[in-house]
Amino acid sequence: MSPDTQTTSTGLELVVDVGRVAHGGHCVARHEGRVVFVRHGIPGERVRVRLTDAEEKAKFWRADVVEVLEASPDRVPHFWRTADSASSWAHGRPPVGGAELGHVSLQRQRSLKAEVLAEQLSRLAGVELFPDVEAVGQAAKTDGAGKTDDGGPADSAGKTDGAGKTDDGGAGLAWRTRASFGVTQSGRLGMHAHRSDQVIPVQEMPLAVEGINALRLWDVDLQGIERVEVAAPANGSRPLVLLAPAPGTRAKRLNSILAQLPADVSVASYDPLKNETLQLRGRTWVQESAAGHDYRVTGAGFWQIHRDAPETLVGAVTGFLHEGGFLEPGAAVADLYAGAGLFTAPLADAVGETGSVLSVEGAPGTSRDARKNLHGAPQVEIVQGKVERVLRQRPRQFDALILDPPRAGAGKAVVSQLIASSPRAIAYVSCDPSSFARDIGYFQEGNWQLAGLRAFDLYPHTHHLETVALLTPRG
């Protein structure tokens, strides 16, 4: 055993030099030739780590930083002790997930995310680009990284959330309008540690808007509940709490929890296996606003979680398509993986009643939301079903396609179908640089090119980012 190795009661500790950032929220280090994926470090640091996943025969190990021996100038005090690795392990437990870059300055966070995006594009698509990752909302005004021209992020200066609290002034906090929590065995609100079933009690969620924190769910006895989902729209409309009961939980227990929650909050029970939502009080949906439209979104339905994300992404997508001449009155466009219609509504505005918009969404509940949200737009056709099936059964010519798939991306089969439909342009929205870069490679194999790319920091203090790309046929 080397002198830089020591055993502790909780596992093995090593001293390592932190190398480059990698996709997934960690950096690469090495110990005696073995790769160690280190979370909570910064490239260039020398740190002591605690191994969290270290089978002897494994090709690589995973570890958390427990002590910084030589700090990066970009290291800052973590804003949340429950998510701070060194502080958490000093108290004998892992940090909660969801704020793994909270120890890094926001400017360096965006630089690290840009490195990951560039590496994925180079390795998976053969594209050599190093796009800036743009701040959004107040953070964009603070550091000047955001664009204010047409198609840029929305100006959110002075915006308030449902509890009347202004935005975070550029600190990267108070942006989540949705949050997911676990419940401890004793019935207290908590969050999971990274790659773990362990639920750690929490007393705050600094990344969430005040409308979520004001509910003080950590004061509620949640015995009988396995999971809690909360949505507090940025427009200040009525929040919704979804309770996922454990098997056998009785109605009396749910009523007891209901009595502990504020009277002006909607509450519903949710069965994630059956995808069923049952009203307990108020509504089973929330009302969101973006791009001049109001949207009904079911409690379990998808909506962008950053308070400024909807305006930002709509602006980027329509900006690319307008500038290229692909989104004009009378145009035929399709919104694929359309959700509740975030992009569908502004697309319908742009093409007018002489144009057409095909909106395709696989989830039945969310597709029903889209029908309600777009009922006054005769140029919109809402179809519920898998994108690949709808494209195969309803072939037609499009001026432009908008593609916003789940984290796994579109995949080779769908990309091939998109190319075969021969649109003039495709706007691709992605929340995962790996699946995005893989799909860009597929488009290039089909003789398409990456004509424009923007990246946004819609998930500050986490490793996630959002990209919006414009793709066009070559030649």
Side-chain angles (χ1 to χ4, degrees):
M1 187 177 296
S2 74
D4 280 341
T5 303
Q6 65 177 12
T7 57
T8 69
S9 59
T10 55
L12 193 66
E13 290 189 0
L14 312 171
V15 172
V16 297
D17 295 315
V18 181
R20 64 177 178 83
V21 67
H23 177 52
H26 46 246
C27 296
V28 179
R30 292 186 180 275
H31 175 73
E32 297 179 350
R34 192 194 306 264
V35 169
V36 182
F37 289 122
V38 175
R39 291 172 70 84
H40 311 287
I42 305 175
E45 291 188 326
R46 188 169 178 80
V47 298
R48 186 178 299 279
V49 300
R50 181 186 189 278
L51 297 177
T52 57
D53 187 356
E55 294 184 10
E56 190 60 36
K57 295 182 179 180
K59 293 182 178 179
F60 60 84
W61 288 344
R62 299 179 185 275
D64 285 352
V65 171
V66 295
E67 182 183 3
V68 180
L69 305 176
E70 297 177 15
S72 164
D74 296 308
R75 180 171 284 273
V76 298
H78 205 295
F79 61 88
W80 190 13
R81 288 181 63 84
T82 313
D84 179 53
S85 182
S87 174
S88 295
W89 282 115
H91 289 84
R93 61 162 181 79
V96 297
E100 63 275 10
L101 296 186
H103 62 287
V104 188
S105 70
L106 283 171
Q107 185 175 3
R108 185 65 189 279
Q109 287 183 34
R110 291 191 281 272
S111 174
L112 292 173
K113 294 177 187 186
E115 289 180 35
V116 170
L117 177 57
E119 189 272 336
Q120 295 292 303
L121 285 170
S122 176
R123 183 170 63 85
L124 298 176
V127 173
E128 301 301 327
L129 283 176
F130 200 97
D132 290 335
V133 175
E134 304 174 31
V136 301
Q138 185 64 20
K141 299 180 71 66
T142 299
D143 68 8
K147 296 183 178 180
T148 56
D149 56 347
D150 290 343
D155 181 355
S156 66
K159 183 180 288 185
T160 61
D161 60 30
K165 182 178 178 180
T166 57
D167 60 33
D168 71 328
L173 307 178
W175 53 266
R176 291 191 70 115
T177 61
R178 281 160 167 70
S180 178
F181 300 95
V183 178
T184 68
Q185 291 184 346
S186 61
R188 312 316 297 180
L189 192 77
M191 294 182 67
H192 285 89
H194 179 61
R195 294 174 60 86
S196 172
D197 293 331
Q198 182 177 355
V199 179
I200 299 164
V202 296
Q203 292 288 321
E204 61 177 338
M205 208 305 176
L207 297 182
V209 295
E210 180 63 16
I212 291 177
N213 282 289
L215 298 176
R216 299 190 63 81
L217 294 174
W218 39 82
D219 293 335
V220 177
D221 178 3
L222 293 166
Q223 292 185 71
I225 303 300
E226 291 185 336
R227 200 174 86 196
V228 180
E229 306 281 342
V230 189
N235 60 16
S237 61
R238 192 174 190 176
L240 171 64
V241 175
L242 287 181
L243 305 173
T249 298
R250 296 183 177 181
K252 182 179 180 181
R253 177 88 276 270
L254 292 177
N255 289 332
S256 174
I257 295 171
L258 194 63
Q260 299 174 68
L261 297 173
D264 60 346
V265 173
S266 294
V267 186
S269 66
Y270 175 61
D271 185 337
L273 296 180
K274 297 180 180 179
N275 197 27
E276 291 180 349
T277 302
L278 299 177
Q279 178 192 39
L280 297 177
R281 184 175 68 204
R283 311 183 297 204
T284 59
W285 50 273
V286 294
Q287 179 179 300
E288 298 284 358
S289 302
H293 293 270
D294 290 330
Y295 300 83
R296 168 190 167 129
V297 183
T298 57
F302 174 78
W303 187 258
Q304 292 288 340
I305 62 174
H306 192 295
R307 58 188 308 149
D308 295 304
E311 297 279 357
T312 297
L313 296 176
V314 167
V317 167
T318 57
F320 271 147
L321 296 179
H322 277 305
E323 291 166 11
F326 308 117
L327 190 61
E328 305 291 343
V333 300
D335 183 9
L336 308 178
Y337 308 96
L342 171 61
F343 296 111
T344 307
L347 292 173
D349 293 341
V351 304
E353 293 192 8
T354 61
S356 66
V357 182
L358 173 65
S359 179
V360 183
E361 168 57 38
T366 308
S367 185
R368 285 193 295 271
D369 286 340
R371 290 184 185 279
K372 294 180 182 294
N373 296 332
L374 281 303
H375 72 276
Q379 67 272 43
V380 175
E381 179 185 5
I382 307 290
V383 179
Q384 188 267 313
K386 291 185 176 181
V387 166
E388 51 269 41
R389 178 178 61 81
V390 174
L391 290 178
R392 184 173 60 252
Q393 294 178 350
R394 299 170 180 249
R396 65 181 75 177
Q397 291 292 316
F398 293 103
D399 292 291
L401 302 176
I402 291 79
L403 185 67
D404 186 10
R407 192 173 301 279
K412 191 168 188 177
V414 171
V415 168
S416 297
Q417 283 184 294
L418 298 179
I419 292 173
S421 67
S422 302
R424 296 169 57 211
I426 295 174
Y428 188 156
V429 182
S430 171
C431 63
D432 184 85
S434 179
S435 61
F436 169 71
R438 178 206 64 203
D439 286 349
I440 295 301
Y442 295 150
F443 276 109
Q444 293 199 127
E445 291 173 3
N447 205 33
W448 278 58
Q449 63 185 349
L450 185 61
L453 177 62
R454 295 180 71 181
F456 300 100
D457 190 17
L458 296 185
Y459 315 93
H461 302 297
T462 80
H463 70 276
H464 300 289
L465 73 154
E466 198 91 5
T467 52
V468 178
L470 178 67
L471 294 149
T472 56
R474 286 197 179 98

